[in-house]
Amino acid sequence: QVLFEESGGGLVQPGGSLRLSCAASGISVSIFGMAWYRQAPTTQREWVAGITGRGTINYADSVKGRFTISRDNAKNTVTLQMTSLKSEDTAVYYCNKWANWDTWGQGTQVTVSS
C-alpha cells in the first residue's frame, strides 16, 4: 500500500518561510516522479512543483523563484522549501506522484497571515 505523510505546515507571516516534508512508503521516490499539490478553500487542488525520477524539476508560475522541491532518496522523502510566502499560498499541501496518483494523504495546512 502506498502512503504519503505530509508535515511541516503552520502559521507564518507574509514574507516568511516554511519547509514541508513528505514521507513516502510503498514506493520509491527515486524512481517515480513526485510532486507537491495544494488546495485552498473552495478551490480545486492544483499542482505546485514536481521532480521526475531523473531529477528534472518544474514549478507552477505562481511559485517559481520562491519554492524549491527536492528529494532524499535514502530517507524516501520529498521536501518543499517555501520562501517569500504570500497570503495566496494559504492552502493544504499534499504530495503524491506526478501522474497516476495514489491515495492522497491528510496534507499539511499552511496559513500565511499577519
Side-chain angles (χ1 to χ4, degrees):
Q1 183 181 8
V2 178
L3 296 174
F4 302 109
E5 184 173 356
E6 301 90 350
S7 62
L11 173 64
V12 63
Q13 292 185 343
S17 300
L18 280 175
R19 185 179 180 87
L20 306 184
S21 183
C22 170
S25 58
I27 63 167
S28 173
V29 302
S30 65
I31 296 175
F32 290 92
M34 297 294 298
W36 282 94
Y37 304 82
R38 67 186 182 187
Q39 186 169 19
T42 72
T43 68
Q44 290 188 334
R45 190 171 292 161
E46 65 173 349
W47 173 83
V48 174
I51 180 168
T52 69
R54 292 186 176 185
T56 301
I57 291 173
N58 205 355
Y59 299 96
D61 287 343
S62 59
V63 306
K64 199 169 293 184
R66 300 188 297 122
F67 291 10
T68 303
I69 188 172
S70 61
R71 67 176 178 223
D72 185 323
N73 294 338
K75 296 181 179 179
N76 210 37
T77 59
V78 183
T79 298
L80 187 68
Q81 177 69 49
M82 307 186 296
T83 63
S84 302
L85 284 162
K86 306 175 181 179
S87 58
E88 50 263 45
D89 295 318
T90 294
V92 179
Y93 284 70
Y94 304 87
C95 70
N96 208 314
K97 292 190 296 186
W98 202 334
N100 301 318
W101 300 327
D102 284 297
T103 302
W104 295 92
Q106 295 296 310
T108 185
Q109 175 71 48
V110 172
T111 303
V112 184
S113 175
S114 56

